[in-house]
């Protein structure tokens, strides 16, 4: 049973977050190991495994990048184990330029510039999310895989911005 089936959700990128959360809470209650604490070891182990599966599925489905990557895995495209590198030199140059800009902002400790940069990083991420949503909806798996690779760069950049914000606030 895949994550979408477990949560009784359609196999699509766009998900209803409240439905996902409420189903997660229901599945947690249903498969919580405490419910079978007095039963035999095999039953308790199965409950722990099912609870772990529910948690893993929820973490995967609630995160857009992980969800897209999982959808590709279900199509036989495993990005986690691949050795393929990014083949888009223009995108890679953009990423290098953005990282240099962030480094400069970090050195200057300019909070206003960091805020503006954070918005730029978020816009890049949002644009890529829209692209991957469209590619997955059109069953363009290879195109979606390229976009997910780019999304990982954009997501990492957003995390770096958060890290710098934390440094500047301390």
């Amino acid at each position: 049973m895949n994550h979408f089936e477990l949560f009784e959700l359609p196999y699509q990128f766009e998900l209803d977050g409240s439905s996902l959360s409420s189903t997660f809470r229901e599945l947690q209650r249903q498969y919580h190991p405490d419910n079978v604490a007095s039963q035999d070891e095999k039953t308790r182990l199965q409950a722990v495994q099912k609870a772990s599966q529910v948690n893993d599925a929820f973490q995967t489905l609630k995160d857009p990048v992980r969800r897209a990557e999982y959808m590709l895995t279900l199509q036989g495209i495993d990005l986690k184990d691949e050795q393929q590198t990014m083949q888009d030199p223009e995108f890679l140059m953009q990423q290098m330029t953005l990282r240099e800009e962030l480094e400069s902002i970090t050195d200057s400790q300019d909070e206003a510039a960091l805020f503006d940069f954070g918005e730029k990083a978020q816009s890049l991420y949002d644009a890529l999310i829209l692209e991957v949503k469209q590619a997955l909806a059109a069953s363009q798996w290879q195109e979606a895989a390229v976009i997910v690779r780019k999304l990982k760069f954009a997501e990492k950049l957003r995390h770096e911005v958060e890290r710098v914000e934390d440094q500047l606030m301390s």
Side-chain angles (χ1 to χ4, degrees):
M1 175 180 297
N2 72 44
H3 298 341
F4 291 94
E5 293 167 346
L6 178 64
F7 277 78
E8 298 178 354
L9 292 169
Y11 176 75
Q12 62 188 32
F13 182 74
E14 196 71 29
L15 296 179
D16 176 5
S18 63
S19 176
L20 178 66
S21 294
S22 64
T23 303
F24 173 63
R25 286 189 299 277
E26 178 57 37
L27 289 170
Q28 271 189 317
R29 271 193 300 278
Q30 184 178 347
Y31 295 111
H32 198 281
D34 288 349
N35 295 340
V36 294
S38 62
Q39 296 190 21
D40 63 84
E41 187 174 337
K42 180 181 177 187
T43 303
R44 290 193 312 267
L45 180 60
Q46 287 173 334
V48 167
Q49 289 171 336
K50 192 66 171 184
S52 176
Q53 179 188 13
V54 167
N55 286 328
D56 181 52
F58 178 70
Q59 294 304 317
T60 298
L61 293 177
K62 80 174 186 171
D63 179 88
V65 177
R66 286 180 64 184
R67 182 181 335 125
E69 193 170 11
Y70 180 72
M71 289 178 73
L72 290 170
T73 300
L74 293 177
Q75 296 301 321
I77 301 170
D78 190 359
L79 299 179
K80 286 186 172 124
D81 294 331
E82 75 175 6
Q83 300 302 314
Q84 186 171 347
T85 58
M86 177 64 63
Q87 300 295 319
D88 185 341
E90 187 177 313
F91 180 80
L92 290 173
M93 283 301 294
Q94 176 195 39
Q95 290 302 302
M96 285 177 41
T97 303
L98 288 170
R99 296 214 182 278
E100 289 170 2
E101 185 179 345
L102 181 58
E103 188 175 318
S104 173
I105 292 169
T106 302
D107 292 343
S108 69
Q109 298 193 350
D110 184 342
E111 289 183 24
L114 181 61
F115 178 80
D116 291 342
F117 184 85
E119 286 187 339
K120 187 188 318 184
Q122 184 64 47
S123 292
L124 172 65
Y125 177 84
D126 291 344
L128 289 168
I129 287 289
L130 182 60
E131 285 182 38
V132 80
K133 174 183 163 184
Q134 292 168 342
L136 290 169
S139 301
Q140 297 171 331
W141 312 122
Q142 293 303 323
E143 176 66 22
V146 169
I147 298 166
V148 168
R149 288 182 195 102
K150 291 178 179 181
L151 257 171
K152 288 181 173 191
F153 278 95
E155 185 176 50
K156 187 173 182 185
L157 184 63
R158 286 175 51 223
H159 289 302
E160 302 250 342
V161 169
E162 290 172 9
R163 183 187 55 75
V164 172
E165 284 174 348
D166 289 345
Q167 282 179 342
L168 291 181
M169 300 301 170
S170 322

